[in-house]
Amino acid sequence: MSTLERIKVIAHGLAVQFGPSCEVLIHDLQGDINSSLVYIENGTITNRHVGDGPSHVVLDVLSHDDGSEGRFGYLTKTKDGRILKSSTMYIRDDTGRIAYLLGINQDITEFVMMHRLLDSLVNTGQEDAGSVEKITTSVSELLDDLLLDVERLVGKPGLLMNKVERLKAISYLNEKGAFLISKSSEKIAEYFNISKFTLYSDLNTVKEES
């Protein structure tokens, strides 16, 4: 039995154990990341399917492997606003490289609503919403999200950025792994209204400065 088949057995067991409110999935990072999702159960929670691309978390892992066993108990949010408690486990190959990601997304929306209701009865302070990451369903949507983040970071759209601001934006995109997405350079260059040559020149400048 291959490593992937073994992970699938574990994933299926988790899905059965925690029921239809728990999405369990596997990303294969050894091939084309634009279709890295190779297994999913209860995918209606995030409306994802086998063959879909990476989420923000996957890009972060590809860009910044901290040598840990994974990320556990963080919050994510679907496009329709449902709140999930998520964990992502790193499955490494014999060289120590991350080969697969085993993800768990437990829908806790109803519990969050109940918590807010109870909190409003016993607490007069303002609620801290915490850090919540959005789950995307395609690499195109993921790249759009990152470009929106860039606008918020710099405070203006790409067309209006000067070179210093553009370098700051490109540095952010590189940090978040945007250039790992296939053909992303075309969309990013178009966003800034610059040539691909200029984009790669700016990217090299950012990498040298970092």
Side-chain angles (χ1 to χ4, degrees):
M1 183 182 291
S2 68
T3 300
L4 178 57
E5 292 306 315
R6 293 190 182 98
I7 302 171
K8 286 182 179 180
V9 172
I10 296 171
H12 177 66
L14 290 169
V16 172
Q17 175 69 26
F18 294 106
S21 66
C22 182
E23 177 186 82
V24 185
L25 55 101
I26 301 170
H27 282 281
D28 185 348
L29 305 187
Q30 300 171 106
D32 182 6
I33 67 164
N34 295 292
S35 54
S36 61
L37 187 57
V38 295
Y39 181 89
I40 188 166
E41 290 205 39
N42 302 323
T44 53
I45 292 175
T46 60
N47 196 32
R48 288 184 291 176
H49 308 84
V50 169
D52 283 345
S55 63
H56 290 278
V57 172
V58 176
L59 275 191
D60 283 344
V61 171
L62 288 170
S63 303
H64 311 98
D65 180 3
D66 59 6
S68 68
E69 296 178 347
R71 296 179 57 189
F72 304 96
Y74 59 94
L75 295 181
T76 51
K77 183 172 67 174
T78 65
K79 287 194 293 184
D80 60 0
R82 301 197 70 80
I83 302 298
L84 313 177
K85 185 175 182 179
S86 302
S87 290
T88 304
M89 287 151 278
Y90 306 162
I91 313 298
R92 299 177 182 275
D93 61 21
D94 293 337
T95 68
R97 178 177 175 270
I98 300 174
Y100 302 98
L101 299 180
L102 173 60
I104 304 173
N105 296 310
Q106 182 78 47
D107 188 346
I108 60 169
T109 307
E110 305 303 325
F111 295 106
V112 171
M113 293 173 62
M114 187 182 301
H115 176 269
R116 289 174 178 169
L117 175 61
L118 292 173
D119 191 60
S120 68
L121 294 175
V122 300
N123 190 355
T124 58
Q126 292 187 347
E127 180 181 4
D128 179 8
S131 177
V132 180
E133 297 184 21
K134 181 182 176 184
I135 290 181
T136 53
T137 57
S138 69
V139 289
S140 178
E141 183 184 347
L142 175 55
L143 188 54
D144 287 341
D145 273 2
L146 292 174
L147 292 176
L148 282 175
D149 288 344
V150 159
E151 285 196 16
R152 297 189 190 101
L153 176 68
V154 178
K156 61 178 69 172
L159 290 173
L160 300 180
M161 293 182 192
N162 59 36
K163 184 171 182 178
V164 173
E165 293 166 335
R166 188 173 73 242
L167 289 175
K168 180 179 180 181
I170 291 173
S171 177
Y172 176 85
L173 292 172
N174 183 54
E175 178 77 11
K176 292 298 182 180
F179 293 98
L180 296 173
I181 299 173
S182 177
K183 299 182 180 180
S184 62
S185 58
E186 297 176 4
K187 189 167 186 176
I188 294 172
E190 181 180 350
Y191 171 77
F192 290 115
N193 194 30
I194 58 177
S195 67
K196 289 178 66 175
F197 176 82
T198 300
L199 175 63
Y200 287 126
S201 175
D202 287 351
L203 183 58
N204 287 333
T205 299
V206 164
K207 289 179 177 179
E208 290 171 1
E209 291 178 350
S210 63

